[in-house]
Amino acid sequence: MSTQLDLLYSEEEEALRAAVRDVLTDHCAPADVIARTESDAPHDLALWKLLADGMGLAGLLVPEAQGGQGASHREVAVVLEELGRAVAPVPYLTSAVVATEALLACGDEELLERLASGRTIGALAVGLHTAPGAAFQAVRLENGALHGEVTGIADAVAADVLLVPADDGGLYAVTADAVTVTPQVSLDLTRPLATVRLAGASGRRLGEAGPAVRRALRAAAGLLASEQLGVSEQALTETVRYLKERKQFNRPVGGFQALKHRLAQLWLEVVNLRAAARASADALASGDDTDVSVAVAQAYAAPVAVHAAEEALQLHAGIGMTWEHPIHLHLKRAKADSIAYGTAGAHREALAGLVDLQGP
């Protein structure tokens, strides 16, 4: 039976947003994020501890009986909006959403409880580019040991445990010290990618890989739209603020008609993205028309986030082109997100099949 779609934020969700934003304002300044991208430690594990352990955000999707908060995808979406705004270098999407959803599908309570506490970081060993329902790479299981190599694994360098699909159809938990993790050059330095090599690694079978990976990637794609919304809103907000302050011919640049039109168009796109992202989060929480809502959100989100970041870069003019200005963090996150968990084109194609819309 169909339920009524609710796109509005509840009082609890707004309170959660305020709490997360306060922490990020105090502990995730743009200059610090830029400095971290230049170091050998791209992840801010102190911030992760505050969010995951201090606030309990890592366990939002986990039932209370298993050590979590028993919340829903709607609350997770609010957290991701704020993390997107700050381009926070924490493994929240990869551990608290993707790995957690895979474990929920397998029903592994022991590891689920560890991830919910935030003291263990998990990563699904499936390439960041993989769309929900798409084929994914599996390693070889031979005499009880895992052999092979998987690439493009987001946040693998921060993970304590990797969830690895094998060619016997199983999903295996492998500790990070049993594999070789080699960082790859990635565009978005705040969500680094890595190659994971297994040479006879031992793993514990959690369950069936197929359903677990599909569930994890669907939730990832659906909630990624909320992160892209956060990126877009921050890019627009900062651009409007800058154009009110920047003067040319003795008047604020934002007063010029051509720029007003560009900002108005961008505002409409961001508002539409908010509706799509909220619908996706609500569908994941309710289980109603989930596949369609996720495909719609991702078909729309990537172009808007990239457009918002590109407009911000251009309208900030010379200062926007510098490494010191944080807008490049938003542009790189938006571009990287545009191919994460399936491109907009892949989701449009999936949507066409879901609603039985034939191509020309």
Side-chain angles (χ1 to χ4, degrees), residues 53 144 181 291:
D53 195 10
V181 178
D291 290 334

Side-chain angles (χ1 to χ4, degrees), residues 68-193:
Q69 306 301 317
S72 78
H73 299 82
R74 290 175 59 96
E75 287 79 12
V76 172
V78 170
V79 174
L80 282 168
E81 283 181 37
E82 293 307 311
L83 294 177
R85 278 178 175 272
V87 199
V90 292
Y92 189 82
L93 181 65
T94 46
S95 184
V97 176
V98 182
T100 295
E101 287 276 3
L103 290 174
L104 285 167
C106 293
D108 190 279
E109 295 192 8
E110 183 267 334
L111 189 50
L112 198 56
E113 192 168 329
R114 283 163 50 196
L115 258 64
S117 72
R119 289 186 284 275
T120 295
I121 296 172
L124 181 66
V126 172
L128 181 64
H129 62 281
T130 311
F136 54 88
Q137 191 177 357
V139 301
R140 192 173 79 259
L141 180 68
E142 192 174 289
N143 299 323
L146 298 166
H147 302 263
E149 181 178 285
V150 285
T151 61
I153 310 304
D155 294 334
V157 292
D160 303 300
V161 62
L162 292 146
L163 310 182
V164 184
D167 60 3
D168 70 332
L171 186 68
Y172 289 81
V174 181
T175 57
D177 56 11
V179 304
T180 302
V181 178
T182 307
Q184 295 177 244
V185 177
S186 51
L187 176 64
D188 179 9
L189 299 174
T190 63
R191 181 174 285 149
L193 305 178

Side-chain angles (χ1 to χ4, degrees), residues 236-248 250-256 259-260 263 315-316:
L236 176 59
T237 299
E238 281 301 299
T239 304
V240 170
R241 183 191 60 76
Y242 177 76
L243 293 183
K244 285 180 178 178
E245 296 174 356
R246 176 84 165 90
K247 290 189 176 180
Q248 197 171 41
N250 207 31
R251 60 179 289 192
V253 173
F256 292 109
L259 298 191
K260 284 183 178 180
L263 292 172
L315 295 175
H316 273 81

Side-chain angles (χ1 to χ4, degrees), residues 201-350:
S202 60
R204 178 167 64 85
R205 198 178 200 276
L206 302 168
E208 293 295 318
V213 171
R214 278 194 298 274
R215 174 171 172 169
L217 296 184
R218 184 177 70 170
L223 291 170
L224 182 67
S226 292
E227 177 180 290
Q228 291 164 306
L229 171 61
V231 170
S232 304
E233 286 188 324
Q234 181 66 9
L236 176 59
T237 299
E238 281 301 299
T239 304
V240 170
R241 183 191 60 76
Y242 177 76
L243 293 183
K244 285 180 178 178
E245 296 174 356
R246 176 84 165 90
K247 290 189 176 180
Q248 197 171 41
F249 306 116
N250 207 31
R251 60 179 289 192
V253 173
F256 292 109
Q257 193 76 358
L259 298 191
K260 284 183 178 180
H261 287 167
R262 287 171 68 172
L263 292 172
Q265 176 61 38
L266 188 56
W267 181 82
L268 287 172
E269 291 178 14
V270 173
V271 168
N272 289 337
L273 172 53
R274 184 183 300 119
R278 292 300 294 164
S280 177
D282 190 68
L284 284 164
S286 67
D288 191 37
D289 278 337
T290 307
D291 290 334
V292 170
S293 296
V294 168
V296 167
Q298 270 310 310
Y300 189 75
V304 173
V306 171
H307 183 218
E310 287 177 342
E311 285 288 79
L313 185 73
Q314 291 180 21
L315 295 175
H316 273 81
I319 186 65
M321 295 295 293
T322 65
W323 184 262
E324 290 76 15
H325 197 283
I327 199 63
H328 68 88
L329 296 174
H330 291 83
L331 179 57
K332 289 169 184 172
R333 175 62 68 88
K335 290 290 282 185
D337 281 357
S338 71
I339 58 172
Y341 308 116
T343 62
H347 286 282
R348 282 194 292 270
E349 190 173 340

Side-chain angles (χ1 to χ4, degrees), residues 33-63:
V33 177
I34 293 171
R36 191 166 288 282
T37 64
E38 298 173 322
S39 73
D40 294 329
H43 293 98
D44 190 341
L45 296 182
L47 175 60
W48 168 255
K49 184 175 175 61
L50 277 174
L51 295 168
D53 195 10
M55 298 180 70
L57 300 183
L60 286 180
L61 291 176
V62 180

